[in-house]
Amino acid sequence: MAVLRGFAVLLALQIAGETIVRLTALPIPGPVVGLVLLAVALVSYRPIGEVVEPAGRLLLQHLSLLFVPAGVGVISHLERLEGRYLAILAVLGTSTLIGLAVTAWTLQALGPPAVQHRRDGDSDEPPEHGTAESSGAPPATREDDENSNASRVTGDG
Amino acid sequence: MDDRSLEVLWVYLSGSPLLSLMLTLVVYLFASALFERGRRHPLLNPVLWSILLLSACLWLAELPYDRYFEGAQFIHFLLGPATIALAVPLAREFDALRRRAVRIGLALAAGLVATTGSTLLLVHLTGLDRSTGLSIAPKSTTAPVAMGIADTIGGAPSLTAVFSVLTGVFGAVVAIPVLKALRIRDDSAKGFAIGLVAHGIGTARALQIGKRAGAYAGLSMALMAIVSAMLLPYVMAWFS
């Protein structure tokens, strides 16, 4: 059931994305607009994540598989490259390598991963867990504090 | 069973989605098992081998691609919801992303200029014709966006889809060894770079590194799609 609920939400977001694309003539595919919509929804209201998570995890675990049908179509179009194989492969390959190197270098050179940076560099914790805990736990305790303060106030009053 | 009934069976199977769906799954499972068995050697990339093996199957069975896709489209369709689901790992990194917004913007700009600039320069150097060049220019964006851009700037969308998928598969195959050789240790930089040059197919590879790499790959894929779609038509008009 959890997977189906998440899947329904994802499909609804895709419909929303496709609708926005058609109404505004945006040059972006509906699913990319849906991605932005879901990201905004998740950031403004975290619990949506639990609804989408089971279906999302299932789809992303096998994301590679989903590209296979389109990939097979590419093979049947390869003959259209005719005598230009070498030049085209050189362009695709070289520019991909250049882009990969420049992007990774830039982001790594500009700064270490955010968590280490924020903790002044001397944290020994693995960053992944650090983020999960620091983003999840503090708001919860703060809420608890507020609640207990509120009850104390009303109790005092 | 005589030849006649075999023929009837084949006509039925090749006309129904059953055969190509099952074939796609079986070949993909086989390619994945091969990848794991070969200790994830980059050249054993499951997407690459699934595509090659399935193409060989179709060729041997004389099954035209259109007929194959009638069944395989049920798998292809899931790309839409899967793309949207990339927002889940992305939102989990939101606090880190907000703090690094400027750095990520700079990395995006550097990556976009390096990728598109080197593509245009190489097209010029290799003496490829103008129409092919216009079809190659948007190759690092996800296929549907690339096709839309090609259409706008005067390339051939169907050829662009080929370039986009080839780029994605190439990027997914070479990414890990190349980034290792460059001593990129930060998973967020790895993921961001893979998603930027190799869009969705690269993002699928980045997700195998880990959730953080996958989140950054999804982010750079989406940013690349949005920014390229907005800027490339102007860049190409300016160049011509």
Side-chain angles (χ1 to χ4, degrees), chain B residues 187-233:
Chain B
D187 271 2
S188 64
K190 286 185 200 167
F192 197 79
I194 300 174
L196 191 138
V197 294
H199 50 90
I201 304 175
T203 301
R205 183 71 190 91
L207 276 164
Q208 291 167 341
I209 303 175
K211 277 185 183 160
R212 162 164 292 175
Y216 276 84
L219 174 69
S220 62
M221 179 196 77
L223 289 175
M224 191 69 176
I226 293 166
V227 176
S228 298
M230 291 193 296
L231 293 186
L232 261 182

Side-chain angles (χ1 to χ4, degrees), chain A residues 29 53 69 80 84 108 128, chain B residues 65 92 132 145 158 185 212:
Chain A
E53 166 87 40
R80 291 186 54 195
R84 301 166 292 174
Q108 184 165 274
E128 295 263 329
Chain B
Y65 177 72
R92 223 176 268 132
T132 310
V145 179
S158 60
R185 269 175 240 98
R212 162 164 292 175

Side-chain angles (χ1 to χ4, degrees), chain A residues 6-145:
Chain A
F7 202 71
V9 172
L10 290 174
L11 289 179
L13 282 163
Q14 189 170 351
I15 292 175
E18 302 287 5
T19 309
I20 291 173
V21 166
R22 271 159 190 74
L23 290 180
T24 58
L26 274 175
I28 305 164
V32 174
V33 175
L35 190 167
V36 176
L37 290 178
L38 181 57
V40 171
L42 285 170
V43 166
S44 39
Y45 186 66
R46 268 172 207 263
I48 294 177
E50 284 159 38
V51 182
V52 186
E53 166 87 40
R57 201 190 317 132
L58 186 69
L59 287 169
L60 294 184
Q61 260 169 9
H62 306 291
L63 187 58
S64 295
L65 165 69
L66 311 186
F67 289 101
V68 170
V72 176
V74 163
I75 300 288
S76 62
H77 274 99
L78 276 184
E79 64 217 40
R80 291 186 54 195
L81 307 189
E82 290 149 16
R84 301 166 292 174
Y85 285 108
L86 229 73
I88 287 171
L89 291 181
V91 173
L92 295 183
T94 316
S95 64
T96 300
L97 290 175
I98 293 173
L100 197 63
V102 170
T103 314
W105 257 333
T106 311
L107 195 57
Q108 184 165 274
L110 284 174
V115 173
Q116 284 166 21
H117 185 74
R118 194 181 44 154
R119 295 197 178 159
D120 301 315
D122 47 27
S123 109
D124 289 324
E125 290 165 89
E128 295 263 329
H129 298 285
T131 355
E133 275 158 27
S134 58
S135 55
T141 30
R142 234 173 281 142
E143 257 170 45
D144 287 345
D145 287 346

